Amino acid sequence: MQTAETPQPKRVTKRRAETRQRLLDAAGAVFADEGFGRSTVEQVCERAGYTRGAFYSNFTSLDELFLAMWEQRSATMLDGIRTALADRPSALTLEAAVERVLAAIPVDDAWYRITAEFTAHALRNPALTRVMAAREDAILGTILPIVEDALTAAGRHVTDREALGRALVAIHDGTSVQVLMEPGNEAVRQARQRLFVTVVSSYSSSI
């Protein structure tokens, strides 16, 4: 007989995780198709094949659902960067390190549209803006040590950690638009890579 103290069976935890993931996947499709501001809980539930009850047992709002999507994608991106730089030659050049990192951060048209619309939505809500800023700082706090380690392997030392972090975010956001506007233009992608190399060089020095 199960008591109040009896742990939930693992299969329940797994099913809940699957439900949550299906809602996240459905939300990504709905947000990309409809736009975040025009999307509804009902649309997400319909796409996922669940009721509103299933949604609200996992998320309190579409805002919370988006933040969960963002956290998941950020974790995947960080894993990709770690993997890209984990197996590296002893004499890894700055250019090669940047190329590896950029390959691990694909420019995604649907995700860009979703985040741009959510950012505009968040800017109308100071509390939500603060949450996003805090999460951006946390992501940077995780990325920068990885970048610094790779730069050390390339014979360079970061001279201004905070400035480098902010510059990398600004370049990524700005050049992503250019890549999305001309998806088949390899020159744009190469210019993006060169710009990253230039900025990293500007905020680091030879050891």
Side-chain angles (χ1 to χ4, degrees):
M1 177 179 178
Q2 242 181 12
T3 67
E5 291 76 26
T6 303
Q8 290 290 330
K10 289 185 178 181
R11 64 181 179 82
V12 175
T13 301
K14 180 179 180 182
R15 187 168 71 175
R16 183 178 181 83
E18 290 174 348
T19 299
R20 184 180 176 86
Q21 188 59 54
R22 280 178 60 180
L23 287 166
L24 288 168
D25 292 342
V30 171
F31 293 166
D33 291 345
E34 305 294 334
F36 180 84
R38 294 184 296 277
S39 298
T40 65
V41 170
E42 288 77 12
Q43 288 172 322
V44 173
C45 291
E46 182 179 357
R47 184 73 65 101
Y50 290 125
T51 64
R52 286 170 58 91
F55 179 92
Y56 286 112
S57 69
N58 286 277
F59 304 102
T60 60
S61 64
L62 290 178
D63 287 354
E64 184 184 345
L65 187 150
F66 170 82
L67 292 173
M69 290 173 58
W70 187 22
E71 182 176 349
Q72 188 177 74
R73 288 185 67 98
S74 297
T76 300
M77 176 190 69
L78 290 170
D79 285 344
I81 293 174
R82 290 190 188 97
T83 300
L85 296 175
D87 181 22
R88 58 176 180 256
S90 56
L92 182 70
T93 65
L94 174 58
E95 290 77 9
V98 168
E99 183 178 6
R100 288 188 177 202
V101 170
L102 291 183
I105 312 175
V107 178
D108 185 322
D109 175 72
W111 181 242
Y112 182 86
R113 283 185 278 118
I114 293 170
T115 52
E117 291 173 343
F118 187 84
T119 299
H121 163 68
L123 288 173
R124 301 184 183 94
N125 184 327
L128 191 55
T129 300
R130 288 192 293 271
V131 169
M132 290 190 70
R135 293 200 177 194
E136 283 278 12
D137 287 343
I139 293 169
L140 270 180
T142 303
I143 290 177
L144 284 174
I146 303 172
V147 172
E148 286 179 306
D149 184 48
L151 286 174
T152 298
R156 302 192 67 82
H157 168 71
V158 175
T159 55
D160 191 332
R161 197 169 188 263
E162 182 176 355
L164 174 60
R166 295 188 180 280
L168 290 175
V169 171
I171 297 169
H172 172 68
D173 291 348
T175 58
S176 291
V177 178
Q178 297 170 357
V179 171
L180 290 171
M181 289 294 184
E182 300 184 66
N185 192 335
E186 184 58 28
V188 172
R189 291 184 178 275
Q190 291 176 359
R192 165 180 161 87
Q193 183 170 320
R194 288 195 300 272
L195 184 55
F196 268 97
V197 171
T198 298
V199 169
V200 172
S201 298
S202 298
Y203 289 105
S204 64
S205 60
S206 299
I207 297 175

